[in-house]
């Protein structure tokens, strides 16, 4: 359920994306951000849904829900992870952190994410877009 920012005139990506690789965290590695969220921190989440880039003649869907908010110096972010749908006899795993919040009218906000999936069947896909809107 990624949204095209043209629906919200005057709003655009907050700043470059924050993926786990930019922060030096990798899938399966426990870090301070994961510790905070795994200890039951409560807060809002965001739905995400859409299609990956088309590679090797096919796309995958990536439905899911983000983690609870994770506080950073730049504002809160969310962990976004999961497996794509099964297409062309395989799936892909993805994991990243969203951008800080992008404010919208009436107290809502969204987050941007650009994620490179794991390689499987000799190729990767890119997931790029915005989460569903939520109030914090």
């Amino acid at each position: 359920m990624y949204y095209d920012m043209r629906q919200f005139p005057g709003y655009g990506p907050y700043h470059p994306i924050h993926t786990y690789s930019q922060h030096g965290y990798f899938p399966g590695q426990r870090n301070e951000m994961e510790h905070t969220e795994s200890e039951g921190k409560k807060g809002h989440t965001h739905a995400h849904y859409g299609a990956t880039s088309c590679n090797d003649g096919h796309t995958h869907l990536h439905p899911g829900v983000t983690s609870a908010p994770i506080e950073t110096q730049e504002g809160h972010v969310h962990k976004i992870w999961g497996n794509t749908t099964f297409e062309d006899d395989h799936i892909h795993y993805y994991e990243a952190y969203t951008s800080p919040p992008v404010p919208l009218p009436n107290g809502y906000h969204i987050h941007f994410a650009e994620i490179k999936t794991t390689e499987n069947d000799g190729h990767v896909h890119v997931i790029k877009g915005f989460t569903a809107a939520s109030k914090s």
Side-chain angles (χ1 to χ4, degrees), residues 11-22:
Y11 293 94
Y14 186 79
H15 66 68
I17 5 174
H18 291 254
T19 63
Y20 62 83
S21 60
Q22 288 173 314

Side-chain angles (χ1 to χ4, degrees), residues 90-106:
H90 67 278
I91 64 170
H92 297 270
Y93 178 75
Y94 58 92
E95 180 177 341
Y97 291 102
T98 66
S99 72
V102 178
L104 297 174
N106 300 318

Side-chain angles (χ1 to χ4, degrees), residues 2-129:
Y2 281 149
Y3 292 91
D4 184 330
M5 285 309 291
R6 289 175 287 195
Q7 294 177 0
F8 306 102
Y11 293 94
Y14 186 79
H15 66 68
I17 5 174
H18 291 254
T19 63
Y20 62 83
S21 60
Q22 288 173 314
H23 289 292
Y25 305 128
F26 297 94
Q29 178 183 9
R30 187 165 170 85
N31 61 63
E32 189 174 314
M33 293 171 90
E34 288 174 344
H35 177 74
T36 301
E37 70 184 276
S38 68
E39 298 303 315
K41 182 174 180 179
K42 298 188 189 294
H44 69 282
T45 60
H46 296 264
H48 65 87
Y49 184 87
T52 65
S53 60
C54 183
N55 294 57
D56 198 35
H58 67 277
T59 63
H60 299 265
L61 300 178
H62 55 87
V65 178
T66 67
S67 72
I70 302 163
E71 295 302 324
T72 72
Q73 292 178 352
E74 299 169 333
H76 78 273
V77 299
H78 298 267
K79 185 174 180 181
I80 184 171
W81 75 101
N83 289 310
T84 64
T85 56
F86 184 81
E87 302 294 337
D88 197 36
D89 293 327
H90 67 278
I91 64 170
H92 297 270
Y93 178 75
Y94 58 92
E95 180 177 341
Y97 291 102
T98 66
S99 72
V102 178
L104 297 174
N106 300 318
Y108 286 88
H109 70 276
I110 57 176
H111 297 267
F112 180 73
E114 185 171 348
I115 309 165
K116 185 175 165 183
T117 68
T118 56
E119 183 175 338
N120 200 344
D121 196 32
H123 65 279
V124 299
H125 294 273
V126 174
I127 296 168
K128 183 176 183 178

